[in-house]
Amino acid sequence: MSREELTRLTGNGNGNGNGTCGKDDCPNVYRTDSGAFVVQGAVSHAFTAPDREALVEIPEEILREAVRALGW
């Protein structure tokens, strides 16, 4: 799946207001066609994730922006 196939919920000028990120290098939340979410963020080493999983950290405001974009 490519990034272009996802619906980007954050970082589109929908209110995160930081204005310092490039097009693809910020924490973001995306939605897939099946309704699942893909999260982009800084790698976290809080604990070791199981095989085939990863941990990322994203700011609270990014999650709030995603919720607003979904109208929840």
Side-chain angles (χ1 to χ4, degrees):
M1 173 180 313
S2 70
R3 185 184 313 222
E4 291 73 30
E5 296 175 84
L6 302 171
T7 300
R8 189 171 178 171
L9 300 175
T10 58
N12 291 318
N14 295 331
N16 78 0
N18 74 14
T20 61
C21 297
K23 180 180 176 192
D24 300 325
D25 64 349
C26 298
N28 280 297
V29 178
Y30 300 85
R31 194 160 197 194
T32 68
D33 288 341
S34 69
F37 296 94
V38 175
V39 178
Q40 173 186 348
V43 174
S44 174
H45 300 287
F47 62 90
T48 302
D51 287 345
R52 299 182 46 101
E53 294 184 6
L55 304 175
V56 298
E57 294 183 18
I58 61 170
E60 179 181 329
E61 179 56 31
I62 298 298
L63 290 178
R64 290 180 183 275
E65 184 181 352
V67 169
R68 283 192 299 270
L70 290 168
W72 294 354

